[in-house]
Amino acid sequence: MKPSSRGKINTEARATYDKVIDIFFYFRDINELDEIVHPKFVGYGTAGHEYFRDREALRNMAKMQAEQLSGTKYTLTRKPVIEKFLTNDSTFLILEDFELHMQDNDHSLQLRLSTILEKESGKWLITHFHGSSPDRDIADEEAFPMEGLRKKNEELEAKIRERTRDLEIEAALERVRSRSMAMQKSEDLKEVIQVVYEQFVQLDIYIEHTGFIIDYKERDDMHIWLADKQGV
């Protein structure tokens, strides 16, 4: 086959591929998928549940994506990676990287798309694509995100410890508050201060004793309640 002929086929396959991109990102008529996607299309999206078993499943995905992007300000940056024929001149592969930048929240999503087109009855049809999003947790020297998962686990454990500590402090304050509200006379302060001391101990806060002091200045007198590990 002459180079010029191969170039024409390349252009035709690319035009079909670009129509799909326009449908998914630029609100082109979804019904055009019936003309450019094979009825027995299969493929993967970026989400775990996105396995497309036929063209209709892809139509549903395109519809949902259009609804999500509708009214959203965004830009799509495209970076072609490779285009080439496979085992024969009727099968064509396109790899491309994308960056979808959401202007509303200044968030960017990195995407990768590999697409296979096959020529049937003189017409290019998309038979498969696989979309993915690069995992930033995988280091350059890793095949799996071991280090990233370790860091995530450490961050999660730290948040759990922090939240657990907050709950422990809230519970301790509630015990002191509850005993304080039950007071009937000033002498009951000895029981309140004992509860205060016990809560410090339960929270693993080192303290030798806790105390209340009431200073009766008008009669030059004061009452002191102290609590330690021996009691009040």
Side-chain angles (χ1 to χ4, degrees):
M1 182 173 290
K2 297 180 181 179
S4 59
S5 178
R6 291 177 63 90
K8 182 179 180 181
I9 295 175
N10 182 305
T11 301
E12 292 173 352
R14 181 75 196 195
T16 300
Y17 168 81
D18 284 338
K19 284 183 182 179
V20 170
I21 302 302
D22 288 346
I23 290 171
F24 269 83
F25 293 102
Y26 298 112
F27 310 108
R28 188 163 177 158
D29 188 0
I30 290 177
N31 292 321
E32 291 190 42
L33 288 175
D34 294 342
E35 302 174 5
I36 59 178
V37 176
H38 197 283
K40 296 183 179 180
F41 169 90
V42 291
Y44 286 107
T46 57
H49 67 275
E50 291 178 350
Y51 168 47
F52 310 115
R53 293 174 172 83
D54 52 33
R55 184 170 62 197
E56 186 60 28
L58 186 64
R59 282 173 57 90
N60 293 335
M61 177 58 192
K63 181 179 179 181
M64 181 173 65
Q65 182 165 309
E67 291 173 349
Q68 282 191 297
L69 292 178
S70 178
T72 301
K73 294 182 179 180
Y74 65 91
T75 57
L76 182 69
T77 302
R78 301 174 60 177
K79 181 182 178 182
V81 178
I82 191 173
E83 299 180 16
K84 69 175 184 177
F85 288 92
L86 297 180
T87 55
N88 53 58
D89 288 346
S90 62
T91 305
F92 198 69
L93 171 68
I94 299 178
L95 302 183
E96 188 168 18
D97 290 345
F98 300 83
E99 180 179 1
L100 183 64
H101 179 72
M102 303 296 185
Q103 297 176 9
D104 295 340
N105 55 16
D106 196 29
H107 176 71
S108 291
L109 177 63
Q110 304 296 323
L111 303 170
R112 292 172 174 171
L113 184 64
S114 58
T115 304
I116 293 178
L117 302 95
E118 296 183 46
K119 196 169 187 179
E120 292 190 0
S121 302
K123 184 178 181 180
W124 285 102
L125 297 175
I126 293 177
T127 58
H128 170 78
F129 73 55
H130 188 166
S132 64
S133 183
D135 192 336
R136 299 181 182 277
D137 292 327
I138 301 180
D140 291 343
E141 65 277 7
E142 292 183 317
F144 300 99
M146 301 302 187
E147 183 64 17
L149 290 175
R150 184 188 65 78
K151 290 181 179 179
K152 280 190 173 182
N153 286 336
E154 289 179 352
E155 292 172 358
L156 180 60
E157 290 171 358
K159 289 181 179 179
I160 292 175
R161 287 195 298 270
E162 181 180 350
R163 180 54 181 159
T164 300
R165 187 61 171 175
D166 289 343
L167 292 174
E168 290 174 345
I169 293 174
E170 290 177 12
L173 290 172
E174 183 56 36
R175 294 186 189 101
V176 174
R177 186 182 302 112
S178 176
R179 187 62 192 88
S180 300
M181 295 296 292
M183 283 180 54
Q184 299 294 323
K185 53 187 181 299
S186 60
E187 284 76 9
D188 291 341
L189 282 171
K190 66 180 182 180
E191 297 182 15
V192 176
I193 197 60
Q194 181 64 35
V195 173
V196 172
Y197 177 80
E198 291 171 354
Q199 300 315 301
F200 275 114
V201 172
Q202 289 188 23
L203 291 171
D204 290 327
I205 299 176
Y206 176 76
I207 188 170
E208 292 185 352
H209 59 263
T210 57
F212 287 138
I213 298 176
I214 298 181
D215 189 357
Y216 299 102
K217 294 184 180 296
E218 67 279 1
R219 62 188 188 192
D220 194 25
D221 189 17
M222 65 175 57
H223 288 177
I224 302 175
W225 287 269
L226 293 177
D228 56 22
K229 62 182 179 180
Q230 304 299 326
V232 180

